Amino acid sequence: VARVSARRADLDPSLERIRGGAPAANPNVRRLAGFASVHECPTAAVAFAARVDTNRALKGTPYQMPFGQSPFAIGRGYAFEKLLRQHGHAELRAVLREGTGFDFSTAAVHNLRDGFPLSTPGRTMRAQVTRDQLRQVVTHPDELAIVDGAILPREIGGVRVDFEADELAIGIEGAVLVGENKSWPVVDGRPADPDALGSALDQSATYVLLAREIVADEGLDPSLVSGDALLITPRNTGLSPVLHRQNVESRVSRIERLLEGVPQVGDITRSVPVDVTFERVADMNLEADARIDAFADLTDQVGRRYEAGSCLTSCGFAWACRACEFADAAPSLAGERAARAVPSIDRLDRVAQLGAGAPPTAGEAPVAQELARAGRLVDEVFVAPPRRRRSA
Ligand code: SF4
């Protein structure tokens, strides 16, 4: 299970004010991918920059979307990690040997999960050990080593984030391979959950990219970090581990573009009014209605760009925004293409009025003629002809 943490010291106090006590979330790979789908929405950008956990900010209201792993899946994840590490990482060594053909039974294991403080200085030390070990592949290309809990730091949108990879396997064919452990089963060679596989490969691709950046920063050839990732999962429904080797090069390029597209948090905080905060939105002591009103006020102030397809799959605020869109009778409810066709009109009832031939304002004029024509067409097609009288 890989983890991510942002350095608190790097967090802008104005971002803390914007978050206003709402549950915090760090930008892991899944969040980055989700944000990439909705990054043009100002509210989503502000929430991302301020690390607001959009899945939990509306907890206790009917607008909280379902999220998270089941307790069973979490328990299985811990059990699987424990199995790989027990008895001097015996199972991890064995599965690496079986899956790569290299004998890891005597490989050095640098376990960065133990012996380091959980604080920022602790993570800095772990990042340094990771960097030192990555260099080793050049100086000792045939020496096998495992870094368990490698820290790969990266600046994202102006904030330094420490990504924690499950393991780096060093020395395989003179290269470094990123390894990721997942506890969902692979039955007859197929993952039980294809979405989970995609997200695990994205995660691995991110670590490949970050490891390459560190290697390049050391003046070495980034291709020393392989484009193949190692995925370790249970075989079938037990916990016995099995290794899958998969090329993630195309995902590396996509993640690189994704990271480049993350807006600078400084730019975002400068662009929003000083009283914007998620404080009332996340305040569990307030009634649900008061919280959704606070959310509607915030999105009115900052701006939202509701597109059902991307919002419902990528943003924890989707149910709340959908309610706001209904309250506003927003054209986006008719779909993305329909909303784009009437850019100067902000309510569906106004679209209906223009369709019925209401005189347009100057701003509405460019689309009014089309709407009136569409209205006439609808009348012709859908207005039922007068019924014929039955003959007696
Ligand atoms: S759900 Fe709302 S906040 Fe999230 S991206 Fe869509 S419009 Fe923006």
Side-chain angles (χ1 to χ4, degrees):
V1 181
R3 297 167 191 86
V4 185
S5 42
R7 301 204 163 191
R8 292 251 151 235
D10 291 342
L11 285 184
D12 186 329
S14 55
L15 291 176
E16 295 284 8
R17 175 188 54 72
I18 292 172
R19 186 155 63 78
N26 286 317
N28 60 26
V29 180
R30 186 179 297 221
R31 278 185 205 283
L32 276 173
F35 176 62
S37 316
V38 295
H39 72 279
E40 289 179 1
C41 169
T43 297
V46 168
F48 183 82
R51 303 192 189 294
V52 173
D53 186 340
T54 62
N55 288 323
R56 293 191 296 148
L58 287 161
K59 189 173 177 198
T61 75
Y63 305 102
Q64 182 191 12
M65 295 178 70
F67 75 97
Q69 281 186 308
S70 71
F72 171 74
I74 293 170
R76 186 176 161 85
Y78 279 118
F80 188 57
E81 295 276 355
K82 193 173 164 196
L83 173 89
L84 290 171
R85 297 197 174 99
Q86 69 189 4
H87 309 310
H89 291 70
E91 288 285 352
L92 181 60
R93 291 171 191 273
V95 76
L96 283 172
R97 184 181 61 233
E98 188 188 303
T100 67
F102 283 73
D103 184 3
F104 274 85
S105 56
T106 57
V109 175
H110 304 275
N111 185 359
L112 308 190
R113 295 175 201 274
D114 292 338
F116 293 89
L118 294 174
S119 56
T120 299
R123 289 199 301 277
T124 304
M125 285 187 259
R126 290 171 63 185
Q128 187 57 49
V129 176
T130 304
R131 182 177 277 262
D132 293 344
Q133 288 303 316
L134 283 169
R135 264 200 313 262
Q136 175 193 298
V137 77
V138 179
T139 48
H140 303 90
D142 300 325
E143 235 170 69
L144 294 174
I146 300 168
V147 182
D148 180 359
I151 292 279
L152 303 163
R154 167 66 136 94
E155 209 166 83
I156 295 180
V159 175
R160 183 178 154 131
V161 179
D162 291 329
F163 287 84
E164 183 178 323
D166 279 340
E167 59 258 338
L168 300 179
I170 297 174
I172 300 174
E173 294 152 0
V176 177
L177 270 81
V178 165
E180 193 55 27
N181 311 331
K182 294 294 169 195
S183 62
W184 32 261
V186 172
V187 181
D188 296 332
R190 292 182 171 197
D193 180 350
D195 288 347
L197 172 66
S199 118
L201 294 176
D202 274 350
Q203 214 173 332
S204 303
T206 306
Y207 303 146
V208 169
L209 174 69
L210 303 188
R212 281 180 179 170
E213 286 178 351
I214 293 169
V215 168
D217 191 48
E218 288 291 318
L220 305 173
D221 178 4
S223 69
L224 288 167
V225 180
S226 172
D228 284 358
L230 307 176
L231 198 57
I232 299 173
T233 69
R235 191 194 310 266
N236 300 329
T237 48
L239 281 184
S240 165
V242 62
L243 183 144
H244 318 265
R245 185 169 173 163
Q246 190 139 345
N247 190 275
V248 292
E249 208 63 78
S250 61
R251 291 174 188 265
V252 172
S253 310
R254 186 172 62 79
I255 301 274
E256 192 170 16
R257 288 196 300 276
L258 204 104
L259 292 177
E260 279 165 8
V262 173
Q264 292 290 309
V265 295
D267 295 345
I268 290 172
T269 49
R270 274 190 293 278
S271 69
V272 299
V274 288
D275 57 339
V276 164
T277 172
F278 285 87
E279 189 155 6
R280 285 178 63 78
V281 175
D283 188 345
M284 301 271 288
N285 295 318
L286 295 177
E287 295 290 327
D289 283 352
R291 291 171 63 187
I292 192 68
D293 284 350
F295 180 78
D297 289 346
L298 185 147
T299 58
D300 284 349
Q301 229 180 332
V302 177
R304 65 175 179 265
R305 197 161 173 154
Y306 184 79
E307 290 173 1
S310 48
C311 290
L312 285 164
T313 52
S314 306
C315 182
F317 286 146
W319 286 0
C321 283
R322 189 174 55 185
C324 294
E325 296 286 285
F326 269 109
D328 292 349
S332 63
L333 291 168
E336 217 173 300
R337 287 179 63 186
R340 269 207 301 267
V342 289
S344 53
I345 303 169
D346 56 9
R347 290 187 62 91
L348 277 175
D349 45 7
R350 184 60 187 156
V351 173
Q353 287 166 4
L354 292 169
T361 63
E364 294 165 343
V367 294
Q369 210 177 355
E370 286 299 314
L371 284 173
R373 189 179 306 144
R376 285 195 298 275
L377 192 63
V378 168
D379 285 348
E380 277 171 34
V381 173
F382 291 110
V383 173
R387 284 186 162 199
R388 278 198 194 156
R389 281 200 177 170
R390 286 192 185 176
S391 50

